[in-house]
Every structure is written in structure tokens, then in C-alpha cells.
């Protein structure tokens, strides 16, 4: 496995590889890799000649009061895991390499980044779309692998690649969960033991919501109430949002119909967890 | 010469060509081609295996009260000229092909697009950077050719390609002028005969400004006044702006030093003309 830290070097490497007819798959991450990332890397490995993993804790997607400084950095363990998953190139740029002096350019996906997490994290998705736009130009992948756990991010990035005509296919892979159903996330390690135990309520409540839709309940308010009350009853979590949205556009629905996503964000202490589930109504 | 109207077709064509090791040069235009475009195409022809010309009157860069509807469309004469200049691919997408339903994504270069023309044309450069970002992903050129006449556009696009790490080299080519010095522009044809005669004052006044700087006058106010009064004296043009800016960042200077650009925009009737000159102080 090559570890590359400069934009120019990786662009040169990839250009050569593509000239030789190799296909390139790409998994962008902020590191602190877990089994969710691993499942992306495995699919990427199966489907491409060259697997590129980027690890970059992107300051652009953290708000001023968010956890940029304390976000877990695990370069050594990430490297070991990447080797084990047969990554070819691990791209580890510095903040200065990605945002040199005089930086002025941003990519924004309007509307769909203003709802759900976009409401409580203004500017977050602009940071995400900008850095992934940059990474797509740097890595020039044929296929980009994203996790369904960050559903709004996946939707906004899919919209961005289509709107800006990036020559890339986006594949969104299922959320990987702990034994009790909690969605894997690098932020789970922030949780106290008690909160970690309680956090399983998120997926439990989402499954209950889905069951209710399948059973014929198409009222957005009823589904949301059911989920909210279960979370409140069974945990100390403070709800940021619970919403029913169109799974493609992530825009709120008035009535549950078509491919619907039930999405939520809940605070446990200073840690904000997100999760979602898809249901066809 | 191939005429291609679909994004998918041109992307497929270019991918094949690049796999075969061909270099691709790209000249994006809004058509109504003149000798300025021609000089870009000629340099592009000399330096690349494949020359791509795009003609797309981009609605995104026109304000609601601007000349989108009446902007000259000359598909047949443009095609003839393109053939003469040995263009390989002429890309002629429709508005719907470039902005299909549900379009939401924009590229914005901050700060440097808010001054000069950005002040009187809010949103204009966001339209330009977005469409050129799209075109770079569609055409995947090794080299992009732009004209110095649209200096702020060239500066913003150069900034964008660097900031977003587009794997492309930007080459900015000298302004081509009519015999009397007027910068070539598709909008010159809007001018009345009288205005067309008067419009030569723009370049005359810029040259006078440059001479004055070379002679040792480094006062921004003095240079601007000299140019403004000449334009007012010798024409019926209404001045939008005359400014002295840093040639790289296009930000206004307090004192003329280093590579300086003197830039102006002047209305003749309903037609707004721009021009600029570089001087090293």
C-alpha cells in the first residue's frame, strides 16, 4: 500500500493508472475507520483494479462549536486496517495541502442541504460537497462508495455528481450496525457507557416506525410521534429531529408514499447521533 | 468535425481518446464566434491532439434584465468557422441537457467575483464558474483556453480550477482587437454605428492610463480620473466602473504596484462593453 500526502503525486499516479486502463474505486473518509468503512472498502476492492482510501478530517464541514479538534485521529490503526483490506493508495493530505492560502471556491447543493441535519448544522454540507468535489478531481475515480448511514450526505453528493457531470458512478452501501442495532459511527466512541446502552433505541424506534408504515399507517405525524415517544421513554437522548422524507430528494413529505426515508438525529450528552431507515409505501 | 449534443456521448468519446493517450484542449464559448475565439482555437489546435469547442449560451450567467434572449445565436456560421479552424468536436448542448429538472448545484468563487463586473452583475460569475465546472467534467481537457478580454472571468476560473483541483492547465490568451483597438466581443454587433465609432475610446484611454503608470504615476485615483475624463470627453458612454486591481486576485489596489490590471466597463446605450490592460509597476 502506498501512502500519498500530496495532491500532485496522487493525480500523477492515477493518470498513469487510467492510461493503463485500470479502473479506480474511491472511499472518502474522515478516518477512525470502523466496520462500516470496511464494508465500503471490501465492495470497492471487489469491483475495481485500484482502491483509493482518503482519510481527511475536513475542517470545512465542522461548525465553529463542533468537534473538529477532538474528532478521533487514528492514523496508525487506520493504516493497518487499510492494508488488511488491500487498499492500494491511502491518501492522507494535510489541511494546508487541501486548503492552501487564498482558497475561495465552494460547491453548494441548494435546498436538500437545508433540511434535516442541514438545519442544525448550517454550512456542514457545503463543506462536504466542496471537499468531495475536490477529492473527485484529485482521485478521478470511476466509482465512489458512500454509506447509507449518512443518507443526506449521500443524497447531496449524488445530486452534486449528477448536476456537475462528474464522470463517476456513485454506489451507496448499507449501514453496518453493532449487535444491538446501533449504526456504526466514529462518534460512538464519545458515548458514556450508559448512553451507549440507551442509543440502541434509535434503530429500534426506526424499525417500529417502518413496521407501522408497512401495516398501513401513512400519517407522517403519527409515525414521527411514535418514534419520538419511544426515544423519550427509553433513553435520556434529546431529539434534534425525527422526519419522514422522500428518499431521493430528502425533502419532507406531507403523507408517506413511495420510497420514504425515516431519518433522525438525537443528542446523547454532547454527542449527536444520526440514523435512518427506508420504507416503500 | 463531429457535432455532439449529449453529455454522455462526448464523455464516452473523450474517455476513449484519453485511453488512447490523446491530449485534449478545450475552448468554451457562447458562440457568435469572432477572431478572438479564433485565436484561442488556433493555439488549442497547435497544442493538442483533440480540439473541443463548446457553444452554449448559458442562462445561468445572465441576470433577469440582461440579454439572454437576444444574445446572438449563429449555429451555422459558427460551425463553418469551427471546421475551418480544424475543431475535432463541437459540443452544442441544449439548456435542458445542461440543466435537467431538479438541478440544485452551484460553484461559487467568493470575494474576487464580488468586485468589478460582479458588482453590477450579481450572480453572473456563479453562473460562469458553475457551467465551466460542468464543462470541465464533461470534456475532461488537459488544457483550457480563455481570453484575457474577460479578465475577471479568467481569474475566477483559474482560481476555481486550482481550488477544486481540476486536473487541467489554464492558458489565458491575449485580447484580439479591431483595427481601431476595440476588443472583439460578440456584443459589439449590438452597437449603433455612432457608438461603434466612439467605443474605440476604451482601449485608447486604457493605453493612456498605462503610459501614465509607466511614466511613474502610481496614484490609483489619478489614473482612474484620467481614464474617466477621457471616456466622458470623447464619447457618449456611461461609465459603470474604471478600476486599478491586482492582476492575479482582481482585488482593488490602494496604490499601483506589481502586476496591475486597469479594468473598465462602459455602457453604450443598452450595451455594456468591458476591456482591460496589464501594466507592471
Amino acid at each position: 500500500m502506498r501512502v500519498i500526502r500530496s495532491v500532485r503525486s496522487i493525480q500523477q499516479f492515477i493518470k498513469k493508472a487510467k492510461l493503463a486502463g485500470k479502473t479506480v474505486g474511491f472511499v472518502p473518509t474522515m478516518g477512525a475507520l470502523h466496520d462500516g468503512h470496511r464494508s465500503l472498502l471490501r465492495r470497492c476492492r471487489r469491483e475495481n483494479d485500484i482502491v483509493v482510501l482518503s482519510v481527511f478530517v475536513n475542517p470545512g464541514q465542522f461548525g465553529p462549536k463542533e468537534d473538529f479538534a477532538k474528532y478521533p485521529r487514528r492514523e496508525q490503526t487506520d493504516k493497518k486496517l487499510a492494508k488488511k483490506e488491500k487498499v492500494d493508495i491511502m491518501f492522507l493530505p494535510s489541511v494546508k495541502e487541501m486548503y492552501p492560502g487564498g482558497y475561495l471556491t465552494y460547491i453548494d447543493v441548494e435546498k436538500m442541504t437545508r433540511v434535516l441535519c442541514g438545519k442544525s448544522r448550517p454550512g456542514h454540507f457545503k463543506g462536504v460537497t466542496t471537499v468531495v468535489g475536490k477529492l473527485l478531481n484529485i482521485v478521478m475515480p470511476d466509482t465512489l462508495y458512500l454509506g447509507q448511514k449518512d443518507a443526506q450526505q449521500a443524497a447531496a453528493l449524488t445530486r452534486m455528481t449528477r448536476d456537475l457531470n462528474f464522470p463517476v458512478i456513485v454506489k451507496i452501501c448499507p449501514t453496518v450496525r453493532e449487535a444491538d442495532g446501533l449504526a456504526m459511527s466514529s462518534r460512538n466512541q464519545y458515548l458514556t457507557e450508559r448512553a451507549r446502552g440507551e442509543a440502541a433505541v434509535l434503530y429500534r424506534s426506526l424499525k417500529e416506525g417502518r413496521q407501522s408504515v408497512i401495516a398501513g399507517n401513512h400519517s407522517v405525524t403519527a409515525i414521527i410521534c411514535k418514534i419520538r415517544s419511544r426515544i423519550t421513554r427509553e433513553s435520556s437522548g434529546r431529539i434534534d429531529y425525527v422526519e419522514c422524507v422522500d428518499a431521493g430528494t430528502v425533502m419532507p413529505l406531507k403523507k408517506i408514499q413511495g420510497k420514504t426515508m425515516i431519518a433522525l438525529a438525537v443528542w446523547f450528552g454532547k454527542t449527536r447521533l444520526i440514523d435512518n431507515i427506508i420504507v416503500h409505501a
Side-chain angles (χ1 to χ4, degrees), chain A residues 243-262:
Chain A
E243 295 211 48
C244 296
V245 301
D246 179 281
T249 66
V250 304
M251 297 308 280
L253 293 171
K254 280 182 186 157
K255 198 176 179 316
I256 294 176
Q257 55 184 355
K259 193 177 175 187
T260 299
M261 180 166 74
I262 314 175

Side-chain angles (χ1 to χ4, degrees), chain A residues 4-21:
Chain A
I4 299 182
R5 293 176 194 274
S6 108
V7 169
R8 184 185 289 256
S9 307
I10 189 166
Q11 278 181 325
Q12 281 175 349
F13 182 94
I14 300 285
K15 276 193 178 177
K16 259 191 214 165
K18 300 198 101 180
L19 211 51

Side-chain angles (χ1 to χ4, degrees), chain A residues 143-198:
Chain A
T143 312
L144 171 67
Y145 296 84
L146 301 170
Q148 173 63 21
K149 200 271 270 171
D150 300 316
Q152 190 176 9
Q153 169 174 290
L157 290 173
T158 302
R159 185 77 258 162
M160 176 189 81
T161 59
R162 282 188 199 157
D163 284 352
L164 296 183
N165 309 101
F166 278 99
V168 69
I169 293 165
V170 180
K171 295 194 177 173
I172 299 170
C173 306
T175 303
V176 176
R177 300 181 180 280
E178 303 286 354
D180 65 354
L182 177 65
M184 298 249 178
S185 163
S186 305
R187 287 190 172 101
N188 289 350
Q189 57 192 267
Y190 296 154
L191 297 171
T192 62
E193 201 178 333
R194 183 184 156 206
R196 173 62 194 82
E198 290 179 358

Side-chain angles (χ1 to χ4, degrees), chain A residues 48-172:
Chain A
N48 297 275
D49 297 325
I50 293 182
V51 171
V52 181
L53 161 72
S54 70
V55 171
F56 179 61
V57 184
N58 172 35
Q61 70 191 72
F62 288 82
K65 288 178 184 174
E66 292 184 356
D67 56 342
F68 174 67
K70 77 160 186 176
Y71 196 87
R73 273 92 167 164
R74 306 267 181 275
E75 194 174 308
Q76 292 315 315
T77 44
D78 286 351
K79 269 188 198 162
K80 276 184 206 157
L81 188 145
K83 267 189 204 166
K84 210 183 267 178
E85 298 302 339
K86 302 195 184 76
V87 166
D88 296 298
I89 299 177
M90 187 165 173
F91 181 51
L92 277 168
S94 67
V95 171
K96 220 184 154 190
E97 181 72 7
M98 291 295 278
Y99 298 106
Y103 191 93
L104 290 174
T105 309
Y106 298 91
I107 301 176
D108 189 27
V109 178
E110 298 181 350
K111 258 181 153 177
M112 68 193 295
T113 61
R114 312 299 196 254
V115 296
L116 303 180
C117 293
K119 260 190 205 165
S120 31
R121 304 186 70 188
H124 165 68
F125 287 112
K126 189 169 155 184
V128 170
T129 47
T130 299
V131 80
V132 176
K134 285 168 63 67
L135 288 167
L136 288 175
N137 284 335
I138 292 167
V139 176
M140 299 173 261
D142 299 285
T143 312
L144 171 67
Y145 296 84
L146 301 170
Q148 173 63 21
K149 200 271 270 171
D150 300 316
Q152 190 176 9
Q153 169 174 290
L157 290 173
T158 302
R159 185 77 258 162
M160 176 189 81
T161 59
R162 282 188 199 157
D163 284 352
L164 296 183
N165 309 101
F166 278 99
V168 69
I169 293 165
V170 180
K171 295 194 177 173
I172 299 170

